Amino acid sequence: MEFSRTVKIAPSILSADFANFGAECRAIEDQGADWVHVDVMDGHFVPNLTFGPAMCAALRPHIRGVMDVHLMISPVDAYLEAYAKAGADVISAHLESGPHVHRTLQAIRGLGCKAGLAINPGTGIEAVPYLLDMVDVICVMTVNPGFGGQKLIESAYDKIRALRAMIGDRPVHIEIDGGVTVENAGALVAAGADVLVAGSTVFKGGSVDRPQVYGANIAALRAAAEG
Ligand code: DX5
Ligand code: ZN
């Protein structure tokens, strides 16, 4: 994974057809997705349940590019190796997932993956300066995690700007997760984001039989983000 701050669109397969994930991953990549975002939920850290490591391993051959695994799991450390072995390129763990996030990030890098730090809307960023040399991606949650299709929480903009200033010229991505739309993509990138996760905005109106809708949705997001 070469570092670049150009805009990357990362569709969340939480909004895909759950009976057809392989084809959905191929379709979004064919239609211009840069990363494929996989939302792992444990029914404890967040009030929903989704994908285990076997699911990610099964998806891996259907993803040519970056498999971006967002772990909404607590405690998380015991599961890192399984998701790395499943073929994740990026593994993000939550700042709130336990008291030893520094160790968690170290472990992710030790497994050969890029390390992501996800931060909930209600969590401050005072700890980030102490973690900056351990992270490759900061995933700013712009909704409370658990479900797709929620509205972006506006207080996130100040947080994104503050993180962008903290990062300086370090090769650290700012990823935005939750409520990303064509209307707010430009403002998010202007604030400092370079990876836009989008579930409902990308999958809305499309299907594996009508993949050009995904293409149009991704193109509209990219145009708004770059404009
Ligand atoms: C929320 C997930 C997000 C979400 C994004 O818990 O982490 O990735 O699915 O979905 P939209 O874009 O619909 O808000
Ligand atoms: Zn996510």
Side-chain angles (χ1 to χ4, degrees):
M1 273 177 73
E2 191 93 336
F3 182 82
S4 141
R5 223 173 266 296
T6 55
V7 172
K8 288 161 284 296
I9 308 295
S12 163
I13 59 166
L14 195 59
S15 295
D17 174 1
F18 272 45
N20 215 357
F21 279 124
E24 290 276 43
C25 289
R26 295 195 304 273
I28 53 176
E29 283 197 324
D30 288 347
Q31 296 295 326
D34 298 291
W35 293 9
V36 176
H37 186 84
V38 183
D39 283 308
V40 175
M41 304 187 182
D42 68 351
H44 160 76
F45 182 70
V46 290
N48 198 358
L49 276 168
T50 58
F51 319 126
M55 171 82 192
C56 290
L59 281 179
R60 181 69 265 190
H62 300 275
I63 299 172
R64 293 190 299 269
V66 172
M67 182 158 94
D68 175 32
V69 176
H70 176 195
L71 297 181
M72 286 160 273
I73 304 184
S74 175
V76 67
D77 289 6
Y79 296 97
L80 300 175
E81 188 176 358
Y83 285 96
K85 282 193 173 146
D89 297 289
V90 179
I91 297 181
S92 294
H94 269 261
L95 182 54
E96 306 84 0
S97 65
H100 303 297
V101 71
H102 188 282
R103 175 187 290 151
T104 302
L105 295 168
Q106 239 171 357
I108 295 170
R109 281 194 171 168
L111 289 161
C113 299
K114 298 288 184 194
L117 175 68
I119 305 176
N120 279 333
T123 301
I125 55 173
E126 315 70 53
V128 170
Y130 308 100
L131 301 167
L132 263 187
D133 294 324
M134 311 292 308
V135 299
D136 302 291
V137 179
I138 297 180
C139 176
V140 181
M141 293 309 302
T142 40
V143 299
N144 286 301
F147 303 96
Q150 305 180 73
K151 196 176 169 321
L152 179 135
I153 295 168
E154 296 286 324
S155 60
Y157 287 102
D158 284 345
K159 191 186 272 187
I160 298 163
R161 280 189 283 269
L163 287 167
R164 185 67 195 88
M166 278 181 194
I167 288 169
D169 57 8
R170 291 178 183 80
V172 178
H173 299 287
I174 297 185
E175 176 176 57
I176 307 302
D177 192 1
V180 173
T181 62
V182 171
E183 288 68 38
N184 60 28
L188 291 166
V189 169
D194 64 291
V195 184
L196 299 179
V197 173
S200 22
T201 298
V202 167
F203 286 92
K204 196 174 171 190
S207 71
V208 293
D209 301 319
R210 300 178 64 219
Q212 55 299 340
V213 177
Y214 298 158
N217 292 343
I218 290 169
L221 263 181
R222 197 186 304 281
E226 288 170 349

